[in-house]
Structures are given as C-alpha cells and as structure tokens.
Amino acid sequence: MPEMPPASYRLLAELEAAFDTLLAQLEQVVITFERSDCPAWAFAEPVADAAWLRQALMDMWHEEGQDGRETRNYIGLIAADAPLIEEVVKANQAKARISDLLQRIKQTTPHALSEAKALLPQRHPQVNSLLRRGGLAKLHLKQCWRQLPVAQAPVARVRLAWYSSGRSIKRLSVQEAEAKLLQLDTQAAHVQIQLRKLAGLPSQEILAQVQAQAPLMRANLFYVEPLEDGHTRRALNVALPLFVPAPEQRLPDYNIPPAHPPSQRTRARRRDEKLEDDAFLPSLRAYRYRQPSI
C-alpha cells in the first residue's frame, strides 16, 4: 500500500473519533427509548423493544454474499417524545460527520478507505461476539452513515408501500461508453457489435446508464397540521425506524404493507418516458434518449 501523507492519518484519526461518537450516540438513542414510554411498532417483528432498536441502529455489517450497494431494512414507527427526538437529531449529526470524513478521505487518499474498514470494526462493541461466532467483521460504510428518518412534525397517519420501480440514471458520453466497452472482452462478438453501433453516434450525444435499485419501503406522511411551507403530506424512504414527534405519546394511524415487495413493476410507464425502450448498449445498460418529435 502506498505510504499515506500525514493529512490522511489525521483524517483517519478523526474518523475513528467520529465513529466512537456515533456508536455512543446510537446507544444513547436506545437508552432514551428504553427509559421512555414511547410506543413503537416494528414491521414483521413480534415486538418493537430496545433490543430490536439496538439491532436496527447498530447493524453496520456486510452479510455473506450481500451486494455492497444494498442495505438491510429495519422498518418501524416510533412515537417519540421530545428527549428522544433530540437524541435522534444528534445521531444524525454524528452520521453526517462520518459521511463527510469518508468523502474527504475518498477524495484525498482513496486507498485509505481500506484501512478505515479494517480499523473501525475493532471499535464496534459487537465485534468480539461476531469473531467468536466465526463471522467476518466487515464494515458496511453506507449502513454507518445512512440517516435515521424523522418526521418534521406530528403525523396523523402513515401509509407504507413497497416501491420497486426505482432506478438510478447516470449520464454517459460516447467517449466514456467507448472506454467502458474497451475494458470488456473486445474479441467477443457482442462487444464488437456494440462498439460499431457506438461509432455511428454523433460524438456529442449523451447516453443514459441505468441501474435498477433494490425495492424499498416508502412512507407517505399526513401531518396533523400543515407545515410552515403549507405542505400537508410528505413521502420519504424508511429503511430504518421512522421517528415521529408525538406529544400525546400515541402512534399515528398506519397500515401494514405486504411482507414482500411485488415481483414485477407496479407503476405504469410515464407517457413522457425520456429513454428508448431497449438498451442501446446492453453490456453497459446504456440507453439512448428519445429524439424529440418534429
């Protein structure tokens, strides 16, 4: 491994300290919840107690065969009093600090991320038990910094539903697409066909590289009173327990969604779909944008 500059060691030291702070703050969230009378509900779990919440907040590990882009879900609702909301806000601030440091390390010394992944697990309280069970303590960085969902104001009802049509789209120039294809087996017939197709495009054309996203749970929140901006509802992703301010210590009305996401797309295609139906470069999942009608 290349020798790291002193600035990178300082960033790693800051990251270790920030990770310790995060773990301590997450534990404080659990302790505050345990001491309160805040009602809670956990999706597909018999009870929503402190043990469940601790597992949800402290799960920062890769499982065997897990896609590095995916995170595990702990869906639930917690009718939080003011002290609990305050601790959750502090936890999110600690998570934001972790995210910021990881970005700075990635930009300055990318190879230092590997050292961070090796160092941080040793500071986690669950590592010893994991190692005793023969598991590998491999940290999942995204599960460290993903924010805890918090409603902006008291909520009258929550409607949960699986969202399985999500996708991320990255703009790709012709030159970038060519470079990616040349990294594949250029002797393969299907790659040669795609290179010839690409050569026929104008050099300034932009393609769309599409990545399907894992199904996720969406929560539609209906506020008791309109927010300052006039909105009465909001939709947000809830991979972790949703903390809802509840002065009356009562859960909002909620539904129980299906145990598993639908196997097929549930939303109709938009009429203004901007991408062509078929991939132009299948090996890259790259699509052309539809040309405007004349």
Side-chain angles (χ1 to χ4, degrees), residues 34-136:
E34 192 170 26
R35 291 174 177 171
S36 73
D37 293 322
C38 297
W41 165 80
F43 176 58
E45 296 291 342
V47 294
D49 56 10
W52 163 78
L53 183 59
R54 181 175 285 107
Q55 172 65 22
L57 302 189
M58 295 291 188
D59 183 357
M60 302 176 185
W61 309 104
H62 279 285
E63 288 186 346
E64 187 69 28
Q66 180 183 357
D67 188 326
R69 297 166 299 183
E70 295 182 3
T71 53
R72 286 182 292 282
N73 292 336
Y74 292 91
I75 299 160
L77 297 173
I78 297 176
D81 57 15
L84 181 55
I85 290 291
E86 182 179 347
E87 298 301 337
V88 171
V89 169
K90 291 179 183 177
N92 278 339
Q93 291 170 345
K95 284 172 169 285
R97 173 67 173 158
I98 294 283
S99 179
D100 176 63
L101 285 169
L102 288 172
Q103 286 300 316
R104 288 166 60 190
I105 292 172
K106 186 176 181 180
Q107 291 167 3
T108 57
T109 317
H111 61 265
L113 279 178
S114 297
E115 184 159 343
K117 289 182 181 180
L119 290 173
L120 294 183
Q122 304 307 316
R123 313 182 77 82
H124 197 290
Q126 296 179 1
V127 166
N128 289 334
S129 62
L130 283 168
L131 294 177
R132 280 199 298 271
R133 296 202 305 268
L136 296 177

Side-chain angles (χ1 to χ4, degrees), residues 168-184 194-195 198 201-211 275 279-289:
S168 62
I169 298 178
K170 177 182 176 181
R171 290 167 64 85
L172 200 65
S173 70
V174 170
Q175 293 75 20
E176 290 170 333
E178 181 182 29
K180 288 179 179 292
L181 285 175
L182 290 175
Q183 292 176 1
L184 305 177
Q194 292 174 85
L195 283 168
L198 190 62
L201 293 184
S203 60
Q204 71 274 17
E205 182 166 342
I206 297 296
L207 300 172
Q209 188 173 37
V210 178
Q211 173 68 51
L275 304 182
F280 184 71
L281 304 174
S283 296
L284 303 181
R285 306 181 309 280
Y287 292 72
R288 294 186 74 184
Y289 286 91

